[in-house]
Amino acid sequence: MLHTQSTLSRLCKTNIAKSLVQKIYSYQALSALSSQSLHHLSSKHTCRLGKTKNGLPLWKKRKINMRKFSSSRILSNIWDLKNTNVTYFQEGSSPSLHDGLSLLDRYIFVKTLVNFYEDVPDGIILDTAYADSRPGEEFDPAVPVIVGVHDTPGSHSDLTSILSTFAKVGCRTIAPTFPGHGNTQGLMRGFDDVFSHSTLERALFLQDFLDTLGIEKVDLMVGVGAGCYPTLRLCAGVESGYMYKSMALISPWPLTRPRYETHSDLLQSILYLWDRPLFRGPAKLLLPAYKIGNVNTVREKVTSAYVLGNLDLAEASSLAFTAVTMNLPRLLVFGNLDPEVEPGLYLDYAHQLEIPPENIQTFSGKLATPVLPGALSFTEAGYNLHLEHPGIISAYLMHLIQLFRPHIRF
């Protein structure tokens, strides 16, 4: 159990309201629903629901896929804790480590997508796994913030090698794990499935996650693979673009066709079956026999099917154009030996981001200073660049940080 009797007794001696402690006692049983065993951080939350140019909430503009879920009052009761600024740490933990070692295995409850679903107007609470090099600290405008957005399938741990480099030079580095990936799951069983992995849902989840941590500005957003879509959505969004200063896209899924196009029929079949709970049992038995790229588990196959099934490539292309009109500092990184995406599609991506051909560098053992907006290609590398060449990529992306923080050095 996360909150022990002794911990709560110490809390009572502070200026925390006794009613808060009583509520924590009440919901101790609910923490058993979570698979997480490490500490959580609970901090002030402000939900930021995006607006369109007409002033309407973004969810009003989306055709909602009706799902038969009923809202539970217990969700809003749990979130009575939202206005507290209490932070819980494991015994012996230190929030001031900046050596990259403190980046792994942290969890936080994130309430997100309020008024987004017709059937779940109170939104959902996600037990979110994430990395943070300065957990529990108040947002400091003097400290550069870098946020990593992982691929599908994947988790925040995929970004550790890159982010830990920035942590060592004094940046605050953060990376959440999306719902349906890694160890992130719904707090209440049965509410996981309402999240359909559209770009907009994923972007709003990221925004609410950062709001929960109290992050007010992000110096650099780093998207990998499918994570580049919500990264674009946030950086070029009318309602959120002010918060993000620059972006880097690593091995982005193309703007012209979905990844794993050859499996589109299978993916549609997965979605058809998974949206009908009666058929999920047989689907779980059949899915291991089908290969979808390098996706392995049944959960990863289902999540990938939702991500691909809800892609809006026209929107992604328009967001790339918006990023250009905003003059957003941007870098693109890709490998020429990607088995799923031809180099020409990455060059098309660079073209849509208005990265001039002369600004596309080829890594040949020595990294030159990039010209912005720019791109870096690896002749002998494939898709998983963030895992194969994290040091080189970190050094390349450092130039984006130095635009705003010239004192930052390796």
Side-chain angles (χ1 to χ4, degrees):
M1 191 65 65
L2 292 175
H3 306 293
T4 63
Q5 183 80 23
S6 60
T7 301
L8 292 175
S9 297
R10 288 196 299 272
L11 287 175
C12 288
K13 297 177 182 179
T14 68
N15 59 355
I16 302 171
K18 290 184 179 180
S19 60
L20 168 61
V21 178
Q22 291 171 351
K23 287 179 180 178
I24 294 177
Y25 276 125
S26 302
Y27 294 119
Q28 278 186 343
L30 287 174
S31 65
L33 296 174
S34 167
S35 65
Q36 275 62 287
S37 58
L38 297 183
H39 71 277
H40 287 67
L41 301 182
S42 179
S43 58
K44 186 175 181 180
H45 172 88
T46 304
C47 183
R48 189 190 310 243
L49 186 63
K51 303 286 186 180
T52 66
K53 291 182 178 179
N54 297 325
L56 296 175
L58 283 168
W59 68 274
K60 290 286 189 182
K61 303 285 287 185
R62 177 178 180 268
K63 180 181 180 181
I64 297 177
N65 181 15
M66 295 294 290
R67 297 167 186 269
K68 299 303 180 182
F69 292 92
S70 59
S71 176
S72 172
R73 292 303 307 164
I74 199 167
L75 289 178
S76 57
N77 290 337
I78 291 173
W79 211 249
D80 285 344
L81 307 180
K82 69 182 179 182
N83 291 322
T84 68
N85 288 306
V86 186
T87 300
Y88 303 97
F89 292 100
Q90 283 180 304
E91 291 294 329
S93 67
S94 171
S96 60
L97 291 175
H98 310 307
D99 58 0
L101 300 179
S102 58
L103 282 173
L104 297 176
D105 299 327
R106 298 186 179 276
Y107 301 90
I108 190 169
F109 295 122
V110 177
K111 186 173 185 179
T112 186
L113 298 167
V114 175
N115 292 328
F116 187 85
Y117 308 109
E118 286 187 355
D119 293 358
V120 193
D122 292 337
I124 56 177
I125 298 176
L126 296 166
D127 196 4
T128 304
Y130 75 107
D132 189 346
S133 64
R134 298 190 179 209
E137 293 189 11
E138 293 290 331
F139 172 75
D140 184 352
V143 177
V145 176
I146 295 91
V147 176
V149 185
H150 68 79
D151 193 11
T152 296
S155 70
H156 71 265
S157 60
D158 298 336
L159 282 299
T160 302
S161 297
I162 291 177
L163 296 182
S164 61
T165 302
F166 290 104
K168 292 173 184 177
V169 297
C171 300
R172 182 172 183 179
T173 57
I174 303 169
T177 294
F178 281 115
H181 301 69
N183 291 327
T184 294
Q185 60 185 5
L187 180 61
M188 301 297 294
R189 183 171 299 177
F191 282 85
D192 304 65
D193 299 335
V194 72
F195 194 92
S196 62
H197 301 276
S198 67
T199 296
L200 180 54
E201 284 171 296
R202 286 152 65 91
L204 289 176
F205 162 73
L206 288 172
Q207 184 69 65
D208 288 331
F209 165 78
L210 293 173
D211 286 345
T212 302
L213 290 181
I215 304 301
E216 298 175 10
K217 287 284 184 182
V218 176
D219 291 79
L220 172 62
M221 287 286 287
V222 181
V224 177
C228 293
Y229 293 124
T231 298
L232 266 174
R233 182 68 181 76
L234 288 176
C235 292
V238 174
E239 73 285 345
S240 60
Y242 69 92
M243 182 173 171
Y244 305 93
K245 295 182 179 180
S246 66
M247 71 175 181
L249 307 177
I250 303 173
S251 300
W253 286 12
L255 297 171
T256 53
R257 69 170 179 85
R259 197 170 177 85
Y260 307 136
E261 186 179 52
T262 55
H263 304 286
S264 58
D265 291 341
L266 174 59
L267 295 173
Q268 290 300 319
S269 298
I270 293 174
L271 292 179
Y272 178 83
L273 294 173
W274 214 256
D275 276 336
R276 291 158 177 79
L278 184 64
F279 297 147
R280 288 186 182 179
K284 288 180 181 179
L285 297 175
L286 294 173
L287 277 176
Y290 292 91
K291 182 174 177 58
I292 305 175
N294 59 358
V295 181
N296 297 315
T297 68
V298 170
R299 187 187 188 209
E300 289 176 342
K301 291 176 182 179
V302 172
T303 301
S304 298
Y306 273 109
V307 171
L308 287 163
N310 287 291
L311 283 183
D312 187 341
L313 294 178
E315 178 201 43
S317 183
S318 66
L319 289 172
F321 175 77
T322 303
V324 172
T325 60
M326 293 171 60
N327 199 26
L328 184 74
R330 53 201 180 276
L331 290 174
L332 176 66
V333 184
F334 62 92
N336 290 322
L337 298 182
D338 188 331
E340 299 284 346
V341 179
E342 301 82 8
L345 289 174
Y346 284 131
L347 295 177
D348 175 70
Y349 212 123
H351 175 72
Q352 295 206 47
L353 289 174
E354 291 196 8
I355 298 174
E358 60 271 21
N359 289 3
I360 302 176
Q361 302 172 339
T362 300
F363 180 72
S364 56
K366 185 176 181 180
L367 185 62
T369 302
V371 181
L372 297 173
L376 180 66
S377 68
F378 289 78
T379 305
E380 302 299 327
Y383 180 70
N384 293 317
L385 290 170
H386 57 294
L387 303 177
E388 299 168 0
H389 304 285
I392 298 170
I393 293 175
S394 298
Y396 184 68
L397 302 186
M398 184 62 70
H399 291 86
L400 284 174
I401 301 297
Q402 291 171 339
L403 285 176
F404 317 105
R405 318 281 184 158
H407 63 283
I408 295 293
R409 292 286 186 274
F410 276 118

